Amino acid sequence: MLLDQIKNYKKKTPTSAKIFAKSSKLHINGVSHNIRYFEPHPFVVKSSLGKNLVDVDNNKYTDYWMGHWSLILGHGQKNVKESIKKQIEKSWMYGTVNEQTIKLSELISKAVPVAEKIRYVTSGTEATMYAVRLARSVTGKKIIAKIDGGWHGYTSDLLKSVNWPFKESESSGIVNDEKIISIPYNDLENSLKILKKYSKNLAGVIIEPVLGGGGCIPATKEYLKGIQEFVHKNKSLFILDEIVTGFRFRYGCLYPTMKLDPDIVTLGKITGGGMAIGIICGKKEIMNYADTTEKKKSERSYIGGGTFSANPVSMTSGYTTLNYLKIRKTVYDKINSLGDYARKELEKVFDGKVAVSGKGSLFMTHFLEEGVTEIQNSADVAKCNSEKLQKYHFKMISEDGIFFLPGKLGAISNSHSKEDIKKIIKASENF
Ligand SMILES: Cc1ncc(COP(=O)(O)O)c(C=O)c1O
């Protein structure tokens, strides 16, 4: 069956194949982000609008990758597009203070209570890298704990214990990785056992409230509360990475719904409305460690900035996107309920052979193997049949015009409808 699908895919993507061959000569793995490659070759996109991607052979795909899950309003959304156009008419790069940044920050600081002070960068990777540095500066301690399977971008600090069995180094070229320790997600008892061993030198713990790249798994409230309590008792910092979850399920972050009290929050993706962004924000007394007018060089943390930080185009597209969501909070009712529908119906179709994890508009199908009945952490994900998941996603690309980046979670945007979810269900029945 898979061979037929590969044949079919090759037949419908000849121009993509040609262009990708050229790309492979010029770029490592032919891509600029390793996860964007899939066999036999990724299709090459020429345009996108609403829920659709169109490739260079004119194949149309209903997209659930949605720009690394950043496009909550869909591709090319009208208001966002118009505001970017207007900004570009004025200019696209100042490299100086601009009012667009202030407008976006006013929205964020109202929606995210912990964001008493904000700093912009141009990627989530930078945001988490600086969050770690800041935590070390504030506490004067060195160790950072992350989650087995947690993905915070390619920062040298946090590129550890990402892939099962979480023991092997993820990359050569990384030094001082003994300063990063790893704890099992949603397993408070064993996490605390590990944290206790390092408590004296623990600068902070960084956690995604819904594990994104690690398998689309919500953390339990008890787990996050328990970790937070330990961290605060030991004068360490609680860092929530809401780069995926910020403004994804509600207008704001996920943490207030669990009555959590993080010290630093990182944001990205949706907050840039599809333009490059990363945000480090947090309580004033913590963020002030980065204040060069207040702190001596020996105390301060140099964080943030970069040539393109707070550029007016990212600030404008972020502002327009958040403002749209603020005015029309019903977007969340719609996409969250489509996610609920997808999870429920997909589990029905596969008749107990899969678990569909996620929350709100994020969902991911896991083909269960013996010994796994539910998905609570990345170790459970690793025990599932990932080959089957790749085949399932590839079948939809090849035959159904539906695009999930193979092996990754799907994100529903405001441009999707119930009909689209029904198409996934039909494709799943055929699979
Ligand atoms: C939770 C989380 N943190 C950080 C990052 C890194 O963000 P970026 O790819 O913008 O560098 C990602 C990217 O997917 C992410 O999912």
Side-chain angles (χ1 to χ4, degrees):
M1 186 171 77
L2 191 61
L3 277 181
D4 281 351
Q5 284 156 5
I6 289 178
K7 234 162 100 195
N8 186 46
Y9 179 75
K10 282 185 172 169
K11 206 164 134 199
K12 69 180 212 179
T13 59
T15 317
S16 278
K18 235 188 257 166
I19 295 177
F20 189 71
K22 211 185 209 179
S23 186
S24 297
K25 283 196 186 136
L26 294 164
H27 309 119
I28 296 156
N29 298 351
V31 291
S32 294
H33 196 319
N34 288 332
I35 57 176
R36 290 183 188 161
Y37 176 78
F38 59 88
E39 287 185 345
H41 55 258
F43 56 81
V44 176
V45 171
K46 72 169 181 192
S47 66
S48 65
L49 188 62
K51 64 191 177 194
N52 293 316
L53 290 173
V54 180
D55 73 14
V56 286
D57 292 288
N58 290 321
N59 299 298
K60 205 190 244 186
Y61 306 86
T62 308
D63 184 18
Y64 291 91
W65 177 228
M66 277 288 151
H68 295 236
W69 321 316
S70 68
L71 297 168
I72 196 168
L73 300 179
H75 291 273
Q77 199 276 337
K78 205 170 71 206
N79 305 48
V80 182
K81 194 200 280 186
E82 284 309 312
S83 71
I84 291 173
K85 270 181 165 168
K86 256 196 211 158
Q87 179 54 47
I88 284 178
E89 280 299 319
K90 286 192 231 162
S91 185
W92 49 90
M93 174 60 177
Y94 300 138
T96 56
V97 177
N98 57 67
E99 278 194 291
Q100 290 81 355
T101 309
I102 294 157
K103 279 174 74 179
L104 176 58
S105 294
E106 278 172 345
L107 283 186
I108 290 174
S109 63
K110 281 203 184 103
V112 181
V114 75
E116 293 171 2
K117 279 279 167 83
I118 297 170
R119 187 142 260 202
Y120 291 100
V121 286
T122 38
S123 70
T125 299
E126 290 168 84
T128 58
M129 173 178 82
Y130 291 129
V132 163
R133 185 180 301 163
L134 185 58
R136 286 173 169 156
S137 295
V138 173
T139 59
K141 303 178 192 177
K142 296 265 182 336
I143 304 250
I144 296 287
K146 71 178 284 292
I147 296 292
D148 292 335
W151 173 251
H152 306 283
Y154 274 111
T155 126
S156 286
D157 277 317
L158 298 170
L159 192 55
K160 192 176 172 183
S161 64
V162 175
N163 293 296
W164 195 81
F166 315 120
K167 303 244 180 305
E168 261 173 61
S169 175
E170 300 289 343
S171 170
S172 62
I174 288 175
V175 292
N176 290 334
D177 63 346
E178 74 284 356
K179 298 286 190 299
I180 303 290
I181 60 163
S182 195
I183 56 177
Y185 199 55
N186 280 336
D187 178 349
L188 186 58
E189 197 184 328
N190 283 313
S191 292
L192 292 182
K193 258 189 213 162
I194 297 170
L195 291 178
K196 271 178 198 157
K197 279 199 252 167
Y198 296 92
S199 59
K200 277 212 179 86
N201 200 15
L202 186 69
V205 180
I206 182 164
I207 306 189
E208 300 159 77
V210 176
L211 216 53
C216 199
I217 312 162
T220 65
K221 186 174 166 182
E222 295 67 38
Y223 182 69
L224 293 176
K225 283 234 168 208
I227 298 291
Q228 177 183 277
E229 192 186 314
F230 177 89
V231 164
H232 284 163
K233 231 187 236 165
N234 285 282
K235 300 197 169 14
S236 313
L237 300 191
F238 188 52
I239 308 166
L240 278 180
D241 182 351
E242 294 234 25
I243 285 169
V244 172
T245 54
F247 295 88
R248 168 51 66 183
F249 310 114
R250 61 188 289 273
Y251 183 74
C253 281
L254 190 54
Y255 78 82
T257 66
M258 293 184 266
K259 301 207 165 35
L260 294 167
D261 179 31
D263 302 292
I264 301 172
V265 166
T266 52
L267 294 165
K269 300 204 191 264
I270 290 172
T271 58
M275 291 285 173
I277 202 165
I279 299 176
I280 312 113
C281 57
K283 295 175 184 166
K284 217 188 264 176
E285 74 263 22
I286 286 161
M287 295 299 290
N288 277 355
Y289 272 79
D291 187 335
T292 54
T293 62
E294 220 176 72
K295 298 279 179 198
K296 290 191 302 223
K297 196 169 182 183
S298 58
E299 283 177 330
R300 78 178 179 219
S301 193
Y302 248 165
I303 65 159
T307 300
F308 299 107
S309 56
N311 73 77
V313 182
S314 293
M315 298 296 103
T316 298
S317 67
Y319 172 81
T320 312
T321 300
L322 296 195
N323 199 42
Y324 188 98
L325 291 166
K326 184 182 166 197
I327 296 165
R328 300 171 190 81
K329 295 204 178 83
T330 50
V331 168
Y332 290 109
D333 300 333
K334 174 190 159 182
I335 63 174
N336 290 344
S337 75
L338 287 180
D340 290 340
Y341 177 68
R343 275 184 292 278
K344 197 170 99 211
E345 293 302 314
L346 286 171
E347 287 201 346
K348 247 196 245 163
V349 168
F350 288 108
D351 197 19
K353 293 188 181 68
V354 304
V356 186
S357 66
K359 181 177 175 64
S361 52
L362 302 180
F363 66 107
M364 180 163 172
T365 304
H366 305 271
F367 291 89
L368 298 171
E369 291 280 295
E370 234 178 270
V372 205
T373 51
E374 53 179 351
I375 304 295
Q376 292 207 346
N377 53 44
S378 290
D380 293 335
V381 175
K383 287 177 209 146
C384 290
N385 192 334
S386 60
E387 214 174 291
K388 205 176 224 175
L389 177 63
Q390 297 276 339
K391 285 181 182 168
Y392 169 54
H393 282 164
F394 187 72
K395 175 246 185 290
M396 289 197 275
I397 295 170
S398 162
E399 293 181 347
D400 307 304
I402 295 172
F403 180 59
F404 288 79
L405 190 71
K408 298 289 171 198
L409 70 87
I412 296 165
S413 78
N414 195 37
S415 60
H416 292 94
S417 66
K418 197 162 181 179
E419 281 314 301
D420 296 314
I421 309 296
K422 282 185 178 164
K423 279 188 198 151
I424 304 178
I425 292 158
K426 188 140 183 258
S428 304
E429 280 165 355
N430 294 336
F431 180 72

